[in-house]
């Protein structure tokens, strides 16, 4: 879909910025094949530090753009009535760079590249498929989204009966946390989607390279325990 969006955008003279935060950490991405003009992704979603990310852009576009910050290293020369910007990417790296986090992000990129992004994607899909198989063992658990094989490593769910939440996802996440299982609860920056599903929030389990099928079993056990805590058994 991104390549088609890119084609249509370019046909009317528009540029395309792709948010790759949920794709670059999980599967092979070829910016040339996508036809993107810019692509951005964050470090903390791919085993790197927080507070740092990457913006890839077509060189000719970056060269034509003026700097948006002033500081050391973003200029070649400064005179009383004129200045000359540095070359790309330095003209966008004003001031003291975030050296420590850049090194950390580089190490994360090297580690994932060593694993192979095809292998990362296959592992996530395998764990998610196992979760899709095991989670229905929990009574009243509803899974949202496409079937296994058509999703990444994310499984979103609620404990719900006849359209009514049995346990609010925030409460559910607290119980799971006590059992050593970390999930995210809330609207996941997608409130219109929550409106579509008719719920205020959902719980979300996200698998990555370090997760295993045994941990899916622990999630199922913790969900069953949450049902007991809330008097549903």
């Amino acid at each position: 879909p991104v390549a088609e969006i890119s084609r249509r955008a370019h046909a009317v003279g528009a540029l395309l910025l792709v948010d790759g935060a949920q794709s670059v950490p999980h599967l092979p991405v070829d910016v040339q094949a996508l036809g993107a003009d810019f692509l951005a992704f964050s470090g903390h979603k791919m085993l790197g530090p927080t507070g740092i990310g990457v913006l890839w852009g077509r060189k000719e576009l970056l060269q034509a753009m003026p700097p948006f910050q002033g500081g050391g290293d973003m200029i070649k020369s400064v005179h009383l009535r004129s200045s000359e910007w540095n070359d790309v990417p330095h003209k966008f790296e004003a001031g003291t760079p975030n050296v420590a986090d850049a090194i950390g992000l580089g190490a994360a990129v090297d580690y994932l590249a060593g694993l192979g992004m095809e292998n990362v994607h296959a592992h996530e899909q395998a764990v998610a498929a196992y979760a899709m198989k095991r989670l229905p063992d929990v009574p009243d658990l509803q899974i949202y989204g496409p079937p296994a094989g058509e999703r990444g490593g994310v499984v979103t769910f609620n404990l719900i009966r006849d359209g009514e939440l049995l346990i609010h996802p925030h409460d559910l996440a607290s119980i799971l946390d006590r059992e050593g299982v970390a999930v995210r609860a809330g609207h996941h920056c997608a409130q219109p989607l929550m409106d579509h599903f008719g719920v205020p929030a959902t719980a979300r389990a996200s698998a990555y390279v370090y997760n295993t099928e045994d941990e899916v079993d622990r999630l199922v056990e913790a969900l069953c325990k949450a049902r007991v805590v809330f008097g549903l058994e």
Side-chain angles (χ1 to χ4, degrees), residues 30-215:
D30 183 345
V31 291
Q32 303 295 339
L34 293 178
D37 299 298
F38 302 94
L39 183 140
F41 59 92
S42 56
H44 72 277
K45 292 182 181 292
M46 51 187 300
L47 308 177
T50 58
I52 191 168
V54 171
L55 172 65
W56 176 91
R58 286 168 45 201
K59 188 173 183 179
E60 65 271 20
L61 294 176
L62 294 174
Q63 287 175 328
M65 293 169 59
F68 63 95
Q69 288 181 323
D73 286 342
M74 46 78 64
I75 48 88
K76 280 186 176 180
S77 63
V78 176
H79 306 284
L80 187 61
R81 292 181 174 82
S82 65
S83 59
E84 182 182 4
W85 309 136
N86 210 337
D87 296 327
V88 173
H90 306 290
K91 71 175 181 179
F92 298 115
E93 298 284 349
T96 303
N98 186 4
V99 176
D101 285 346
I103 292 172
L105 178 55
V109 170
D110 290 342
Y111 176 74
L112 290 173
L115 293 177
M117 294 310 298
E118 295 87 353
N119 296 326
V120 171
H121 184 54
H123 176 77
E124 286 185 19
Q125 286 202 308
V127 175
Y130 184 71
M132 295 285 286
K133 178 181 177 181
R134 288 285 284 116
L135 284 171
D137 293 342
V138 181
D140 300 310
L141 188 138
Q142 178 176 333
I143 297 175
Y144 301 94
E150 297 180 17
R151 63 168 65 222
V154 175
V155 181
T156 303
F157 56 88
N158 266 325
L159 288 176
I160 191 168
R161 183 188 300 160
D162 298 327
E164 296 292 330
L165 285 177
L166 300 177
I167 306 175
H168 193 283
H170 291 160
D171 296 325
L172 183 60
S174 296
I175 298 297
L176 297 181
D177 180 61
R178 284 168 43 184
E179 298 300 315
V181 177
V183 299
R184 182 177 177 182
H187 53 70
H188 315 294
C189 303
Q191 288 176 289
L193 183 61
M194 299 298 107
D195 292 340
H196 171 75
F197 289 135
V199 295
T202 60
R204 186 180 75 190
S206 304
Y208 203 36
V209 294
Y210 40 72
N211 292 116
T212 65
E213 292 183 358
D214 288 343
E215 291 173 328

